[in-house]
Amino acid sequence: MTQEELFKNLIAHTKEYGFIFPSSDIYDGLSAVYDYGQMGSELKNNIKKYWWDAMTKLNENIVGIDSAIFMHPKIWKASGHVDAFNDPLIDNKDSKKRYRADVLLEDHIAKIEAKIEKEVEKGKKKFGDAFNEEQFRATNPNIQRNKEKIDQIKTKMADALNNNDLVALKQLILDCEIVDPISGTRNWTDVRQFNLMFSTQLGNISDESGILYLRPETAQGIFVNFLNVQKSGRMKIPFGIAQIGKAFRNEIVARQFIFRMREFEQMEMQFFVRPGEELKWFEKWRETRLKWHLAIGLGRENYRYHDHEKLAHYANAATDIEFNFPFGFKELEGIHSRTDFDLGRHQEFSGKKIQYFDPEQNTSYIPYVIETSIGLDRTFLALISAAYKQEKLENGEERVVMKFHPALAPVKVAVLPLTKKEELTAVAQKIMQELKFDFNCQYEEKDTIGKRYRRQDAIGTPYCVTVDFDSIQDGMVTLRERDSMSQERVPIEKIHPIVENKVSMKRLLEQI
Ligand code: ATP
């Protein structure tokens, strides 16, 4: 099965089992907007809790806030979003479809890369065991030519984007002979800048001063509350402010399921430090954040750092943590050393002094900031795509199982009476009553036990408890573990400690 087919199956699975639905489904959906179903919202809440606790419980000097989505419009002037939060877009005059100019070029590059891979495959077949891939890649003339092409396009694209040269960007699209995938023509408009912020209007003001923006990131809510939190919490530098919340971006290219959405959630933490100490803290957060990811157990090989060589003018270090999504390595989290840019700009635009008096140094300064910014939905996507497994069983049957880390799994235990007989359901209900205060449990009595196991595998439940006729006599039940499918008889009173040991969030937090 190709990666693409696997990804399609995963998307269908998440809908069938209540993880993710297209928004407004009965109206045929709304592009790049999704709803989380009964399983999805549990999983999402568990991810949030893991992140929130890792920030606020493990670090005495990090506190969390929840700021409003609407903010004073001047904030987005100060942050640079009104003037520079743009994507270059281009329309095809025949299909009337709109594209991001840089994405058209990246897709074109991906096609050339695919040609290179095809050439390598051909070489493999031709030379068999004697095939030396490294040498082949370095010497094959077709590959060399295509590599050169890619380098040239990349350089020209970077220059055009950095210089905001929209004419050069269009020329590059023409030179690459890129055609619209729908109309098949090269009938392109000029490239224009398109601001990604959604705007709306305050009810009691009709002119431009009433324009409000839906926040495109949660970070600004933290910056503008710096003084409030520092003073009310008597926080001493270094300290951090964490926040989880919705952000909105009018993305032109919305695709790859929940990877790029128009409404999504971010988990951001801004860590305020002394000027001059920021690179030390940047390193610390770069390492700590990777540990947070690795504890989830999706495999070190699925993560990589992408250190930025070209930095935004206000940043002095930046890295992305990339994840190996079904469509390749892509950004999951950004970690940036943002100097005093944000607080400095808010000081300038608000006219309020935003400074910290450092009692140890006996001076006041605008603190420097290290930002860690992770997409909740992208973390969700990483989890489901790594957890989704189609397995062939010894008896020839197949099962689909979501191998979530037990601490993050939406349902922790399923309680299953073997049949609907009252002697059994009474015992099972009693077990439910004991477990439900601490764990998210499901009770199921319909269908064969095999079918019920399959349904629990499909949503990733770590444990199934089966009550049978022996249970009434000996007070023991069958405990089935999801991954190994092993079954053991355990006394009813042991279920709670066994499950707790397995699903406790502590297991994850201890590894950070
Ligand atoms: P990209 O380059 O993929 O557009 P970005 O660099 O614009 O991302 P940031 O502004 O650094 O992203 O946002 C921080 C995090 O928020 C990203 O690492 C990502 O996980 C998440 N994020 C950003 N845009 C979206 C989106 N449209 N949908 C879902 N998550 C997003």
Side-chain angles (χ1 to χ4, degrees):
M1 194 177 293
T2 64
Q3 273 295 77
E4 216 166 292
E5 286 165 336
L6 204 66
F7 191 38
K8 269 197 186 143
N9 288 351
L10 169 67
I11 294 172
H13 183 86
T14 58
K15 185 172 182 200
E16 186 181 349
Y17 286 93
F19 285 89
I20 301 173
F21 308 127
S23 155
S24 326
D25 202 14
I26 56 169
Y27 291 90
D28 298 330
L30 179 64
S31 147
V33 186
Y34 290 90
D35 296 340
Y36 286 84
Q38 64 279 19
M39 288 302 133
S41 23
E42 292 290 342
L43 179 59
K44 211 173 169 199
N45 282 340
N46 293 340
I47 301 170
K48 285 195 219 180
K49 182 162 171 48
Y50 173 41
W51 185 88
W52 188 262
D53 286 357
M55 287 296 174
T56 63
K57 272 193 186 166
L58 298 191
N59 300 283
E60 279 169 42
N61 58 353
I62 297 183
V63 292
I65 63 164
D66 184 13
S67 69
I69 287 171
F70 288 135
M71 297 201 276
H72 197 290
K74 256 194 183 175
I75 286 172
W76 304 110
K77 263 279 184 206
S79 68
H81 283 84
V82 170
D83 297 320
F85 194 52
N86 298 321
D87 274 344
L89 70 84
I90 188 165
D91 293 7
N92 183 274
K93 291 183 201 162
D94 299 319
S95 70
K96 308 268 185 287
K97 284 277 169 199
R98 181 165 287 179
Y99 301 90
R100 249 172 76 176
D102 53 333
V103 172
L104 280 182
L105 287 163
E106 272 162 16
D107 286 352
H108 182 66
I109 291 172
K111 277 189 192 145
I112 307 176
E113 279 167 345
K115 276 189 194 159
I116 295 180
E117 294 314 309
K118 227 178 176 171
E119 196 73 37
V120 173
E121 284 308 310
K122 256 174 40 194
K124 262 187 200 158
K125 275 200 190 122
K126 191 167 159 196
F127 296 109
D129 288 345
F131 184 62
N132 179 337
E133 186 172 330
E134 205 178 316
Q135 194 187 8
F136 188 78
R137 282 182 188 272
T139 53
N140 179 287
N142 285 342
I143 294 184
Q144 289 312 305
R145 214 183 34 250
N146 279 326
K147 267 192 188 161
E148 260 167 44
K149 249 194 214 168
I150 291 176
D151 287 345
Q152 273 177 11
I153 299 171
K154 278 189 175 167
T155 313
K156 282 188 183 166
M157 181 166 88
D159 284 349
L161 288 172
N162 287 335
N163 301 327
N164 201 11
D165 188 345
L166 304 182
V167 175
L169 213 50
K170 174 167 182 192
Q171 194 53 49
L172 190 54
I173 289 172
L174 296 178
D175 292 347
C176 290
E177 301 184 348
I178 294 175
V179 297
D180 173 31
I182 295 169
S183 66
T185 70
R186 289 183 219 146
N187 195 4
W188 298 110
T189 62
D190 287 342
V191 179
R192 282 161 299 148
Q193 290 291 15
F194 176 80
N195 194 289
L196 296 182
M197 284 196 293
F198 284 102
S199 60
T200 184
Q201 187 78 28
L202 263 179
N204 57 351
I205 302 171
S206 62
D207 67 2
E208 234 187 51
S209 65
I211 289 182
L212 284 187
Y213 297 102
L214 297 187
R215 66 181 177 197
E217 60 174 34
T218 56
Q220 299 304 322
I222 295 179
F223 293 129
V224 299
N225 275 301
F226 169 80
L227 287 178
N228 284 338
V229 174
Q230 192 271 320
K231 289 194 172 134
S232 61
R234 301 196 300 145
M235 307 302 289
K236 290 207 168 52
I237 276 191
F239 75 90
I241 305 178
Q243 162 153 248
I244 300 176
K246 289 265 184 177
F248 304 83
R249 295 184 187 179
N250 202 354
E251 301 276 3
I252 302 164
V253 185
R255 58 178 182 183
Q256 289 157 334
F257 197 31
I258 54 170
F259 181 80
R260 191 172 296 288
M261 300 154 90
R262 297 205 163 98
E263 173 179 343
F264 57 100
E265 254 178 291
Q266 291 184 315
M267 306 190 284
E268 297 198 293
M269 193 277 297
Q270 311 291 330
F271 199 72
F272 301 96
V273 303
R274 268 186 196 150
E277 294 188 356
E278 71 277 9
L279 292 181
K280 178 183 89 183
W281 285 108
F282 173 75
E283 275 311 314
K284 154 130 189 350
W285 282 110
R286 192 175 174 275
E287 276 172 31
T288 308
R289 290 305 304 146
L290 185 62
K291 280 195 202 158
W292 183 90
H293 289 283
L294 294 182
I296 300 173
L298 308 185
R300 175 66 182 90
E301 69 284 3
N302 284 319
Y303 296 89
R304 71 180 187 199
Y305 286 118
H306 169 223
D307 295 325
H308 292 208
E309 277 146 30
K310 281 218 164 76
L311 295 169
H313 60 95
Y314 50 81
N316 62 5
T319 198
D320 294 338
I321 294 178
E322 294 184 339
F323 183 76
N324 190 9
F325 288 101
F327 36 84
F329 275 96
K330 293 269 184 264
E331 174 178 340
L332 171 60
E333 170 157 14
I335 299 147
H336 306 130
S337 172
R338 299 179 60 97
T339 68
D340 59 357
F341 175 77
D342 306 275
L343 292 183
R345 292 277 287 189
H346 287 304
Q347 173 166 284
E348 186 188 329
F349 278 69
S350 68
K352 305 274 178 344
K353 200 169 156 195
I354 306 183
Q355 303 232 330
Y356 171 78
F357 176 73
D358 190 326
E360 282 171 41
Q361 291 192 332
N362 205 21
T363 54
S364 290
Y365 51 76
I366 301 178
Y368 273 40
V369 170
I370 307 301
E371 163 179 274
T372 74
S373 172
I374 172 174
L376 174 56
D377 312 87
R378 284 191 193 176
T379 311
F380 190 107
L381 181 58
L383 286 187
I384 55 171
S385 47
Y388 181 75
K389 303 275 182 241
Q390 297 176 336
E391 290 183 347
K392 237 195 158 60
L393 306 181
E394 275 171 14
N395 63 5
E397 279 179 25
E398 277 200 11
R399 72 163 182 166
V400 173
V401 53
M402 296 298 273
K403 292 193 170 174
F404 294 125
H405 189 291
L408 301 177
V411 177
K412 309 299 189 199
V413 201
V415 181
L416 317 171
L418 193 60
T419 73
K420 280 188 202 161
K421 287 240 161 59
E422 221 214 304
E423 308 103 279
L424 299 188
T425 56
V427 178
Q429 285 291 1
K430 196 159 169 265
I431 296 173
M432 274 298 283
Q433 289 308 318
E434 273 158 27
L435 298 181
K436 74 176 187 189
F437 295 99
D438 293 314
F439 313 113
N440 192 19
C441 304
Q442 270 196 357
Y443 176 84
E444 272 205 297
E445 49 181 38
K446 218 172 150 249
D447 291 327
T448 64
I449 203 75
K451 272 197 184 151
R452 282 181 269 169
Y453 283 160
R454 285 298 96 80
R455 277 206 296 272
Q456 293 302 326
D457 286 344
I459 58 170
T461 307
Y463 282 120
C464 290
V465 170
T466 306
V467 178
D468 57 24
F469 289 99
D470 290 342
S471 310
I472 304 164
Q473 309 304 326
D474 62 7
M476 309 268 276
V477 287
T478 304
L479 191 68
R480 174 191 184 266
E481 198 270 332
R482 178 194 68 199
D483 296 351
S484 62
M485 293 185 287
S486 68
Q487 302 189 10
E488 57 170 334
R489 294 291 285 178
V490 299
I492 288 172
E493 64 275 13
K494 281 272 169 66
I495 303 171
H496 193 290
I498 292 175
V499 173
E500 180 155 81
N501 184 44
K502 183 105 168 178
V503 308
S504 160
M505 198 69 88
K506 200 173 162 203
R507 296 273 158 278
L508 279 173
L509 293 169
E510 276 170 347
Q511 292 174 59
I512 300 170

